[in-house]
Amino acid sequence: MPATEINRQWIYAQRPSGAVGLEHFQWREAAIPAPGPGQALVRLRALSVDPAQRAWMMTRTYRPQLQPGEVMAAFGIGEVVESNAPGLAPGDLVDGDLGWQDFALVTPESVRRRDKGETLEHLVGVLGITGLTAFFGLLEVGDPRPGETVVVSGAAGAVGCIAVQIARLAGCRVVGIAGGAEKCRWLVEELGADAAVDYKAGNLYEAMKAACPNGVDVYFDNTGGEILETTLGLMNLHGRVACCGAVSQYNQAEWGGGPRGVPGVLVAKRIRMEGFLVMDFYKKRKAAEKVLTNWIRSGQLKTPMDVVEGLENAPQALIDLLEGRNRGKMMVSLASASRGSRLPAR
């Protein structure tokens, strides 16, 4: 699949009835589009791989539901190569909903200019939607206080591994939940969690109770399902639950049922349970990015990355993510293809 004067794309071909597979995507090669008035042409350099992409296939969320025949949606970062848009010039680095393709047409309102001095890995991960989601979800919604117990599910994933570290920096006792003994060891030994629970090992309630002897004050929920139900039973009075995602329910045909005991347990323990989107806090994102950058540079915040090379491997990257094979943020790099591709004469 050489990168020449074509726009390589992955098309969302059909809605999965269960787990996502390669058969749900179709490879297409199209002409590189020409920017019209008010548009710019962006060459993709990196794509974010996120559990939310599975939710977009199922229903309308904070964006329209994906429809078969469309370019597979994805957050990405790219370089402006042609522009008829005010405020966007060739060479600018921008991010936005750019999709699984080499080139995308954008408007100034659909993208955000980014600092070319930062690495693509940081811009896609800790300084992008991923890191901001962990930052705002934990600190603004969860509102942890020093000495409290914070539990993070999906703790070895992109958002979870950042939330674990931020909770530690906030002076809390941190318990991560992940799948597999190896990931749990990594959370404790590398990221500084005080304890980790392997939800695949069985006896989840007893394991959680042992890891949280003083109960749970803040729960950062990336999974929903059984883990949410179990953790709610261990919450302290006036606990806070930040609902970030429900990855345990994404890779199936329909949404699962809610946790048992709700709303009874919320009322009895006066628990605040709140869903959020990172966009809710965008007015504060510059300040948050500054804090995150300082933590990175001081060595207080690690930024685990799982980088997959090549647009052709994007579907498999998403499949691996949904099956929990990644550790930290997963990104597809298109940098080598971008360097080799040529724009046609206009």
Side-chain angles (χ1 to χ4, degrees):
M1 298 179 184
T4 57
E5 295 180 9
I6 56 173
N7 188 20
R8 306 175 308 159
Q9 300 174 317
W10 278 108
I11 304 302
Y12 173 50
Q14 58 178 308
R15 180 181 177 181
S17 58
V20 174
L22 296 176
E23 68 274 15
H24 299 121
F25 307 99
Q26 182 180 3
W27 181 265
R28 183 173 73 186
E29 295 181 354
I32 298 174
Q39 293 182 321
L41 180 67
V42 171
R43 188 194 326 244
L44 273 290
R45 295 181 60 188
L47 292 168
S48 177
V49 185
D50 301 293
Q53 290 172 273
R54 179 63 178 92
W56 300 343
M57 300 177 188
M58 296 175 69
T59 186
R60 179 181 179 86
T61 55
Y62 50 87
R63 72 179 310 283
Q65 180 179 352
L66 272 168
Q67 299 299 323
E70 296 179 342
V71 173
M72 179 59 195
F75 178 84
I77 291 184
E79 180 182 351
V80 176
V81 290
E82 291 185 24
S83 180
N84 296 321
L88 294 178
D92 285 348
L93 198 63
V94 298
D95 66 20
D97 189 352
L98 304 180
W100 284 359
Q101 55 188 343
D102 283 318
F103 295 92
L105 291 177
V106 304
T107 62
E109 297 78 21
S110 67
V111 294
R112 181 189 180 206
R113 292 177 62 186
R114 301 307 305 269
D115 182 359
K116 296 177 70 173
E118 291 289 348
T119 66
L120 288 177
E121 289 80 2
H122 284 169
L123 293 176
V124 169
V126 68
L127 298 180
I129 290 175
T130 297
L132 293 175
T133 297
F135 186 94
F136 291 126
L138 185 68
L139 299 182
E140 296 278 349
V141 181
D143 188 25
R145 295 137 202 181
E148 290 188 325
T149 295
V150 174
V151 171
V152 179
S153 63
V159 173
C161 73
I162 302 299
V164 164
Q165 296 178 81
I166 294 175
R168 177 176 51 79
L169 290 168
C172 299
R173 183 175 187 276
V174 188
V175 178
I177 304 174
E182 184 179 347
K183 286 183 177 180
C184 288
R185 282 194 297 271
W186 177 70
L187 288 170
V188 173
E189 296 174 4
E190 296 294 327
L191 300 189
D194 295 281
V197 173
D198 178 5
Y199 73 87
K200 294 182 177 180
N203 299 315
L204 180 62
Y205 181 80
E206 293 301 323
M208 287 289 297
K209 191 174 180 181
C212 306
N214 297 317
V216 178
D217 300 293
V218 178
Y219 175 42
F220 192 103
D221 183 32
N222 284 306
T223 55
E226 180 189 4
I227 296 174
L228 170 60
E229 183 176 302
T230 300
T231 307
L232 283 175
L234 296 169
M235 297 290 294
N236 292 327
L237 290 177
H238 303 292
R240 288 84 68 200
V241 180
C243 298
C244 179
V247 70
S248 69
Q249 300 179 351
Y250 288 161
N251 227 354
Q252 55 193 35
E254 303 293 340
W255 296 107
R260 291 175 295 179
V262 172
V265 67
L266 305 184
V267 175
K269 295 186 177 183
R270 281 81 87 197
I271 296 170
R272 176 169 57 82
M273 188 174 181
E274 181 178 347
F276 73 97
L277 294 177
V278 66
M279 292 82 83
D280 300 339
F281 303 95
Y282 267 4
K283 289 183 179 179
K284 302 179 179 180
R285 64 183 174 185
K286 287 187 178 180
E289 288 169 355
K290 184 176 181 180
V291 173
L292 290 165
T293 298
N294 289 337
W295 282 340
I296 296 168
R297 291 176 178 170
S298 66
Q300 294 176 281
L301 185 64
K302 297 181 180 181
T303 59
M305 295 292 299
D306 190 343
V307 180
V308 175
E309 295 291 340
L311 178 64
E312 61 273 18
N313 295 314
Q316 188 61 55
L318 179 59
I319 292 167
D320 290 346
L321 178 88
L322 294 171
E323 294 181 354
R325 296 175 186 168
N326 64 303
R327 183 185 294 177
K329 177 65 184 176
M330 182 171 276
M331 180 186 98
V332 175
S333 173
L334 282 69
S336 58
S338 295
R339 286 193 296 269
S341 60
R342 296 180 292 120
L343 286 173
R346 299 292 189 203

